[in-house]
Amino acid sequence: MCGIIGYVGKSDRALNIVIDGLKALEYRGYDSAGIAFIKNNKTQIIKEKGKIKNLENKINFNLKTNLGIGHTRWATHGEPNLKNSHPHKVGKITLVHNGIIENYEELKEILKNYNYKFISDTDTEVACALIDKLYQEKNDLVKVLSKVSNLIKGSYAFGIICDDELDTIYATRKDSPLIVAIDDQDYYIASDIPAILKYTNKYMLLDDYDIVKMSHNNITIYNNKLEIEKKKNYTFSGNIEAAEKNGYEHFMLKEINEQSTVIKETMFPYLDDGINGLIDKMPDFSKYNEFDIVSCGSAYHTGLVAKTLIENYTNIPVNVEIASEYRYKKLFFNKKKLIILVSQSGETADTLASLRIAKEHNMDTLAIVNVVGSSIAREANEVLYIKAGCEIAVATTKAYLAQIAMFALIALKIGISRQTIDENELNEITQDIRRLPLLIDEILKNDYKNLAKKIFKQNDIFFIGRGIDYAVAMEGSLKLKEISYIHSEAYAAGELKHGTISLIKDKTPVIAIVTDMNIAPKTISNIREVKARGANVILLTTIKLDDNYDFINYKIVVPSIHPIIQSILTVIPLQLLAYEVAKLRNCDIDKPRNLAKSVTVE
Ligand code: F6R
């Protein structure tokens, strides 16, 4: 989604700072970019369609200026063209915006009565006009921005320059992320940490309705028109390399290769002090007899894996829900149910809204989140942080893996408490968890280029599996389609013949996942069904294959490990295969078209 950066301070290289920030926010997804800065005591705006490089070509970097705001736009209202790009300027107000103003049409009609004319199709231009109108009345932007929050419905993070105060940036937020950073007398606002990392790793999180006023040597943060004395300071513990490619061709490949470390950092601290350590470090789940897991996209797929783990190892029933559905459906709450929100970014609008609904009903909530201090992490009653580190590629890999790891630990903790996992099994599992990083690195050594070459020209690729393998198939299919643009679907293996099998024709790739030995013979029968219709079968399995498997065209074998953590290994070849296929198709792997890393709008 849109990215915002703003700088005011000692340096006269604000243009470079803002462009550096925008480049670091590219991963969020965008289709145009723009900046506003001060030149000859006037606000100057430059914007361009497409990549930041196009924008850079229009900027004279010799110009010295101490203040600038920048924006990458991910189109919501109106096409991705020049007139809809940010910054927008109406009257004295120049604005960049991330979020969606839901009542913009209504506000637009009101503002037209005051002779405001609109040249873009955006909700942002309407917000800009509204701020200008109120500024004409009140002449004080702090008061204006606190009033705006009562008039606007929807979500926003704003960065603002006012023609009457050309040495000052104003900013505020509601339901869209925004951080503030202070380094000596340099002040920044940004949608996310990577945007400022080249310059500082110290930052503060803004709360909803906070208003920031920052000028050359001063910063004040207000809430409810009152100055806030103190805000908690955070230090980003990773270094800038965490947000760089480290020699890998793409962030996605780098992040796939970080997965053994991610598993160590996410899981090992819970095992260091034996069973008691695990029990003490995890929340107490003893009062719950049902879970709702609520999330979107890959995090929803994590929930599907988690359902099998928790149900199989603890006997607690789990409902897995897509957040954008959950927030509008009839919900059945009771005090013995825990609502678990899963989100890498911690800012996904639908997941955040679901969390708030659960809290309105006084339900207990637990967040499983990667980004420290994100909205979901802050608002949930309890948070368990996965330790995936900074994930830049739009398509998630290491965060998905770490989420599964966290659910395996949760299942383990509850299983021990409920005595559904005995001591022998627990020992076996902990030994296997300790082996995981090594096994992950072994899998990462395999080359999937040859297999990718066999399938990258296909129009349709199917994934099948049963039980937990079906959940992993869904993630494999999403990974492939989102970065390679090949149509793909995942099916419960037994369901294929109820319709979709009619799409299987000669050479259609079907990637079948078989790691659950209890139902392996059933999936094998389904594989034979698609084979009989001409499918090109790729089997991803833990089974050592013998001659009886001559109906398989290509096989990928992953090590067999305790089922509670098997999916952690199974998904990795699918991530790598998707990567190699997308590469052969010359796709923009880290920033697939139309996608955004942090989906902060509904
Ligand atoms: C797919 C992907 C998305 C996210 C989804 C939720 O590769 O990354 O499907 O999983 O947008 O995002 P978070 O986890 O940030 O809530």
Side-chain angles (χ1 to χ4, degrees), residues 6 9 26 53 120 133 160 195 199 236 250 255 292 310 314 321 329 354 406 428 470 493 507 527 530 538 595:
E26 276 193 296
K53 223 184 297 134
S120 78
K133 169 84 184 71
I160 300 166
Y199 299 95
F236 180 73
H250 296 96
E255 288 160 6
D292 281 358
I310 295 172
T314 74
E321 306 270 4
K329 74 189 270 273
S354 302
M406 187 56 80
E428 189 196 329
Y470 171 41
K507 306 257 177 331
I527 295 173
V530 291
I538 298 149
L595 294 182

Side-chain angles (χ1 to χ4, degrees), residues 194-206:
I196 52 157
L197 267 189
K198 189 165 173 190
Y199 299 95
T200 178
N201 63 352
K202 305 228 170 353
Y203 63 99
M204 293 178 296
L205 301 165
L206 289 179

